[in-house]
Amino acid sequence: MKFDKYIDERKGIFVTKPSLPPLDEYVEYLKKVWDTNILTNFGPLHEEFRERLTKFLDVPLCLPSCNGHMALELTIQAFGLKGEVITTPYTFASTTHAIVRNGCTPVFCDVNENDCTIDANKIEALITDKTVAILPVHVYGIPCNVEEIERIAKKHGLVVIYDAAHAFGVSVGGKSIAKFGDASMFSFHATKAFNTIEGGCVALKDMNLALKLFQLANFGIMGEEVVTGIGANAKMNEFQAAMGLCNLDHFAENVEMRKKVYELYEKMLTSINGVRMLKPYRDDVVMNYAYCPVFFDEKILGKTRDVVYDYLTSKNIYPRKYFFPLTSEFECYRNGNYKGNTEVAKKISRQVLTLPIYPELDLKDVKTICGLIKEFLV
Ligand code: T4K
């Protein structure tokens, strides 16, 4: 069997570029791996990283993982959820797959047009006697209405697991985003604002749940001769942890650079009638500028998002249509008769382009991209 070659050989500006620390800083950590010969299985770098993450996210417990998806899938499993899970289809494949791969049924709730997160006013109408959890997404790192979700979950006795894949370092009213809900999964994939090459973590509050998750992430092994559960393997290795330790030192400066890029796009593009960007539901949200979603309204512009995309790619600028199609429109889900009317999500998924954003992106390039968009649209 041969996999299709999957290397992007195009030259140009891509939607993102992974943040790599200075090589010598990474090498310093690698020397420790060479000294100890411990490559994985909760080694010293894993433990150092776990401790720093727990502090950074300001949560009682935090478990690193080999990637965000496994972290999410195993978290749902650790809660023992079986039934309907209210979520949104305006997300990456992982969110819906994690629910379905646990034998649960996704119930799709619509999103807010202003921030693309779950429309909390529409959640209660979707709750049935089969509902077991709400799994909202802090999409693009923009927080969901966490207070309202908490109120609904308490009232109906539901578990809340946040897909916080994009939201590392985000806060609401001075409070770390990781503190909301019963658990939050963060992705540390190469394309994220903070990366460990591949990787992720789960932030939690409950020790029993953390133990269950730990078990599930390590084959159920609890001692050399003790296997207590049917686990998988979702461990983060020492090379990933080393990258995390290095990148954590540079995270704040990277976010500052991302912010400059984001604000320049905002300044240059939102003056065009028919082009808009998002607004968090509260003024005191601290963002990480993980993505730069821009929405093109065909009715006003007379041009579709797709022609803007085609135009930019013809100029070697490679934005992405995150998140189109909706997960509910995927071949594997569209005939599943999943419940939920998601008209807003459908509309905005046909308007969105996530433009290139990463710390090293030159502001001159941002001006060029905006210039091209303006020239094409106006
Ligand atoms: N939940 C949500 C809401 C998520 O968005 C994600 C992941 C997850 C859960 C699951 O977390 P992980 O298991 O992935 O930790 C990318 C990422 O692979 C994925 O992590 C991410 N979301 C998703 C939104 O985007 P693709 O298939 O679109 O990425 P790809 O490989 O086309 O990369 C995009 C561009 O980035 C490339 O055109 C060039 C650049 N790039 C990419 C990589 C991987 C680089 O310059 N270097 C690289 O190493 O999924």
Side-chain angles (χ1 to χ4, degrees):
M1 182 174 162
K2 193 171 161 283
F3 289 102
D4 283 340
K5 191 167 159 230
Y6 178 55
I7 297 174
D8 209 330
E9 283 172 339
R10 296 172 297 187
K11 293 269 173 281
I13 301 177
F14 294 92
V15 67
T16 190
K17 187 173 171 188
S19 296
L20 287 167
L23 185 57
D24 54 340
E25 291 180 18
Y26 191 54
V27 170
E28 277 311 303
Y29 281 105
L30 294 189
K31 283 183 189 159
K32 295 186 189 178
V33 177
W34 261 249
D35 284 347
T36 59
N37 248 2
I38 295 176
L39 276 53
T40 187
N41 287 6
F42 316 107
L45 295 179
H46 178 283
E47 286 307 283
E48 192 181 336
F49 183 50
R50 188 177 57 76
E51 275 168 28
R52 279 191 63 192
L53 265 185
T54 311
K55 275 203 191 104
F56 180 89
L57 293 172
D58 193 19
V59 287
L61 297 156
C62 179
L63 297 182
S65 174
C66 60
N67 61 50
H69 179 82
M70 283 310 290
L72 185 59
E73 198 172 305
L74 295 184
T75 301
I76 298 172
Q77 194 179 346
F79 275 100
L81 298 176
K82 290 285 167 240
E84 293 181 357
V85 176
I86 298 174
T87 187
T88 59
Y90 190 83
T91 183
F92 189 56
S94 169
T95 320
T96 309
H97 289 347
I99 295 169
V100 175
R101 285 169 59 83
N102 267 288
C104 293
T105 307
V107 173
F108 293 115
C109 185
D110 212 351
V111 299
N112 302 305
E113 195 155 352
N114 281 349
D115 63 11
C116 300
T117 67
I118 193 164
D119 184 343
N121 295 321
K122 294 183 180 159
I123 294 176
E124 282 195 279
L126 297 171
I127 296 175
T128 69
D129 55 1
K130 296 196 187 77
T131 311
V132 287
I134 310 174
L135 203 160
V137 184
H138 299 305
V139 67
Y140 309 126
I142 300 178
C144 301
N145 184 338
V146 286
E147 297 85 1
E148 185 57 11
I149 291 168
E150 189 174 325
R151 186 194 67 76
I152 296 167
K154 269 206 180 124
K155 183 173 155 194
H156 297 274
L158 302 174
V159 167
V160 178
I161 301 171
Y162 281 106
D163 181 334
H166 305 166
F168 189 75
V170 169
S171 67
V172 179
K175 208 168 152 184
S176 163
I177 195 76
K179 290 171 97 82
F180 297 97
D182 297 289
S184 295
M185 176 282 288
F186 296 86
S187 163
F188 304 150
H189 183 263
T191 55
K192 297 294 184 289
F194 170 75
N195 85 78
T196 59
I197 311 171
E198 290 258 11
C201 79
V202 183
L204 332 115
K205 297 168 179 154
D206 183 79
M207 186 47 127
N208 287 333
L209 192 77
L211 277 173
K212 221 163 184 186
L213 190 55
F214 173 76
Q215 222 184 20
L216 285 171
N218 186 32
F219 310 101
I221 295 173
M222 295 307 275
E224 214 171 303
E225 297 178 8
V226 188
V227 177
T228 54
I230 309 167
N233 179 0
K235 297 181 300 282
M236 174 178 276
N237 68 46
E238 293 290 277
F239 297 84
Q240 291 172 293
M243 185 62 93
L245 286 163
C246 292
N247 276 338
L248 209 47
D249 290 336
H250 298 280
F251 181 70
E253 68 197 81
N254 282 342
V255 170
E256 272 313 301
M257 290 198 274
R258 286 176 172 276
K259 184 170 190 248
K260 288 200 176 94
V261 170
Y262 187 95
E263 288 179 348
L264 184 55
Y265 275 126
E266 199 167 38
K267 189 168 146 215
M268 292 192 68
L269 293 179
T270 53
S271 57
I272 306 171
N273 188 23
V275 177
R276 72 176 180 97
M277 287 171 71
L278 299 178
K279 195 173 164 13
Y281 79 108
R282 279 170 58 151
D283 289 335
D284 54 3
V285 166
V286 174
M287 303 274 291
N288 64 6
Y289 306 96
Y291 292 86
C292 184
V294 178
F295 297 79
F296 297 87
D297 188 335
E298 183 191 348
K299 285 200 182 120
I300 299 173
L301 295 164
K303 287 193 173 100
T304 63
R305 173 274 313 271
D306 287 347
V307 298
V308 181
Y309 175 88
D310 290 343
Y311 180 70
L312 288 175
T313 54
S314 76
K315 303 285 180 194
N316 299 330
I317 313 292
Y318 300 104
R320 292 294 286 265
K321 299 174 193 175
Y322 296 138
F323 288 98
F324 174 83
L326 299 177
T327 62
S328 51
E329 293 168 343
F330 289 174
E331 210 179 305
C332 49
Y333 296 127
R334 66 179 168 230
N335 298 321
N337 292 324
Y338 294 111
K339 281 185 280 180
N341 175 357
T342 59
E343 284 311 308
V344 176
K346 198 169 175 179
K347 180 176 126 190
I348 61 179
S349 77
R350 282 153 177 77
Q351 295 183 334
V352 70
L353 276 189
T354 46
L355 297 181
I357 187 164
Y358 45 89
E360 292 159 38
L361 183 58
D362 200 316
L363 296 181
K364 270 194 253 154
D365 289 330
V366 177
K367 283 186 186 153
T368 305
I369 296 169
C370 294
L372 285 168
I373 293 173
K374 271 190 178 166
E375 185 187 285
F376 184 67
L377 289 177
V378 185

